[in-house]
Amino acid sequence: MSLLDRITTALPQGTAFVGAGTAVLGVASYVHLAAAGHTLAVDDMASFSVLWTVVFSIGLGLFFPVEQEITRVVASRVVAGDGALPVLRRGAALSFGLLAVVLVPLALFGRRLADLFFHGDIGLVYALGGAFAALAFAHVTRGVLAGLGRFRAYGVQLGLDGGLRIVMSLALALAGVRSVFAFAAVLTVAPLIAVLVTLRPVFQGARPGSAAHWRELIEHLGLLVGSTLLAQLLVNIAVISTKLIATDDNALVTALLAALVLARVPLFVFGAFQVSLLAGLSSAAAEGDTQGYRRLLLRAAAITAGLGVAGGLCAVALGPLMLPVLFGAPDVLGPLDFAWLSIGTTLYMLAMVLGQALLTSGGARQQLVAWIVGTVVLVAVTLSPFELRTRVEIAYAAGSLAVVTSMILALRSRVGYRSVHS
């Protein structure tokens, strides 16, 4: 059996379909940032960098947990032979409720937020709200598709979203559009179109079933939202903290976002099997397959570690050269910067794998505690007297290490010695 065959066998079923879509979406992130970086002025690119970071920290932190819970509940219903339509309805109501929670503050404090983060451009606050709305719709449908095992449709949605981002951002750049709002609006338009195109398989698969109780979805949602928000904070906060601490250093803000995106190339690959990993662990837990559960978890952790090391070596060797060429970013970061960011990324991915295990083994509370510990370490290092650039990079790695350590200690009792139903 070839190495590729062994890797494919080790990964959860459906990874290839999700992987193809994730690959396109990952490439789209680079094309989008590159098009904006080579087109927008430095100050505008700094504003776009902050908006991008907020969308993929707070936005994912709120709505990805809804997808995870929908995936978990639907996958369990599939095992029991029950329909998913009631879960879809409850999940949609839950997601739109969370959307209202973020849109109201944007409406009330929009001008203040524009002055603080976007050089007074209120249009970017509107773009931020639109991007949140797109995520709210997308993650509900993805949760149903993943829980049903319809990974082909899931991959199509990701791929179409990414393809549209590539086409739109390149069109803006080639047309010489220098509006930061136009580049930001791509984060709303592309995912919404992708959702509309893939609605049919969602409703086809979500057949009627027994009533879905709110408790099924929200019993652990608060813990999961807290965990995911802290996780996204940890992986994205370097850009925001740099902007808050050094408000005039737009070059460093822009370069840090580009460097983080390069160092996190393995995260885009990791996303290819993260979704199917959750579905696989949920199904194994529902079936009581303890050995299969442990085997899947160990394989996922091993693949993730290898992926992080390989990506890190490439980032350290090529990252400093690629920043100005790919993104038009200021040449202010070196190999050591990429080393810290790559270490943080590898540990962060391992934390995400271990977090899936805690979630599906009933350890949502321990998962949140682990992310709280990591956040405390992150804040402590960020407030240390080191040079700003160095401390935000080390804070990422140190915070991720603290999370991994905490999760391993929690999992030793939950998965190592007890049933996955604990």
Side-chain angles (χ1 to χ4, degrees):
M1 182 181 290
S2 67
L3 176 61
L4 179 60
D5 290 335
R6 289 198 299 271
I7 292 175
T8 302
T9 302
L11 293 174
Q13 186 178 11
T15 296
F17 297 120
V18 181
T22 303
V24 176
L25 192 58
V27 171
S29 297
Y30 293 93
V31 173
H32 194 178
L33 287 173
H38 285 287
T39 305
L40 299 176
V42 174
D43 287 353
D44 286 340
M45 188 59 197
S47 295
F48 181 69
S49 299
V50 173
L51 180 140
W52 179 284
T53 302
V54 172
V55 169
F56 293 107
S57 53
I58 295 178
L60 285 181
L62 285 175
F63 301 112
F64 184 62
V66 175
E67 174 184 333
Q68 288 182 300
E69 286 295 87
I70 292 174
T71 297
R72 180 183 60 80
V73 175
V74 171
S76 296
R77 283 189 167 225
V78 169
V79 171
D82 203 355
L85 183 59
V87 181
L88 170 60
R89 290 170 175 165
R90 295 285 193 187
L94 180 61
S95 185
F96 300 151
L98 289 175
L99 177 61
V101 169
V102 293
L103 291 185
V104 169
L106 289 182
L108 293 176
F109 306 107
R111 174 55 63 186
R112 187 175 302 177
L113 292 171
D115 292 338
L116 182 61
F117 292 111
F118 305 130
H119 298 96
D121 188 348
I122 192 67
L124 293 186
V125 177
Y126 301 146
L128 183 60
F132 284 153
L135 288 175
F137 281 95
H139 285 293
V140 169
T141 58
R142 292 174 189 175
V144 174
L145 291 172
L148 292 171
R150 298 199 169 199
F151 295 111
R152 184 187 299 272
Y154 191 109
V156 167
Q157 184 178 129
L158 295 181
L160 183 57
D161 183 0
L164 288 171
R165 293 188 197 189
I166 291 173
V167 171
M168 291 178 181
S169 57
L170 286 179
L172 290 172
L174 292 174
V177 176
R178 299 189 179 277
S179 165
V180 63
F181 176 81
F183 281 95
V186 172
L187 296 175
T188 299
V189 177
L192 285 180
I193 293 176
V195 167
L196 291 174
V197 171
T198 54
L199 271 182
R200 184 176 180 181
V202 172
F203 287 112
Q204 283 180 335
R207 60 184 178 82
S210 62
H213 301 290
W214 281 113
R215 184 176 179 181
E216 283 185 283
L217 286 172
I218 66 175
E219 183 177 9
H220 301 298
L221 185 66
L223 298 173
L224 189 56
V225 167
S227 296
T228 311
L229 279 173
L230 291 177
Q232 293 301 319
L233 179 75
L234 192 151
V235 77
N236 289 303
I237 195 62
V239 174
I240 297 176
S241 58
T242 301
K243 176 65 177 177
L244 291 175
I245 296 172
T247 56
D248 296 327
D249 199 344
N250 291 322
L252 181 57
V253 171
T254 302
L256 266 178
L257 175 63
L260 277 167
V261 171
L262 280 178
R264 295 195 318 236
V265 167
L267 266 177
F268 293 112
V269 183
F270 170 74
F273 71 92
Q274 182 184 10
V275 174
S276 45
L277 173 64
L278 177 60
L281 290 175
S282 297
S283 297
E287 295 168 356
D289 184 6
T290 305
Q291 290 300 115
Y293 185 97
R294 293 173 185 164
R295 186 165 53 251
L296 180 57
L297 176 59
L298 289 174
R299 286 176 176 175
I303 292 171
T304 299
L307 186 65
V309 171
L313 292 175
C314 292
V316 171
L318 303 175
L321 300 175
M322 295 174 70
L323 281 188
V325 175
L326 288 182
F327 302 108
D331 186 12
V332 296
L333 301 179
L336 184 59
D337 300 295
F338 279 92
W340 282 118
L341 295 176
S342 297
I343 291 171
T345 296
T346 301
L347 291 168
Y348 177 83
M349 290 192 300
L350 285 171
M352 296 300 290
V353 170
L354 299 174
Q356 301 278 47
L358 282 173
L359 174 64
T360 53
S361 64
R365 191 175 302 277
Q366 289 93 328
Q367 182 186 20
L368 177 58
V369 169
W371 286 112
I372 290 174
V373 171
T375 302
V376 170
V377 173
L378 170 79
V379 172
V381 176
T382 301
L383 297 178
S384 67
F386 295 117
E387 177 192 7
L388 174 60
R389 181 178 67 186
T390 302
R391 61 176 131 139
V392 297
E393 294 166 354
I394 296 178
Y396 177 31
S400 298
L401 177 60
V403 176
V404 169
T405 303
S406 300
M407 287 185 174
I408 289 175
L409 293 175
L411 280 168
R412 286 186 62 186
S413 61
R414 300 203 66 85
V415 179
Y417 303 106
R418 294 158 56 182
S419 164
V420 293
H421 289 296
S422 296

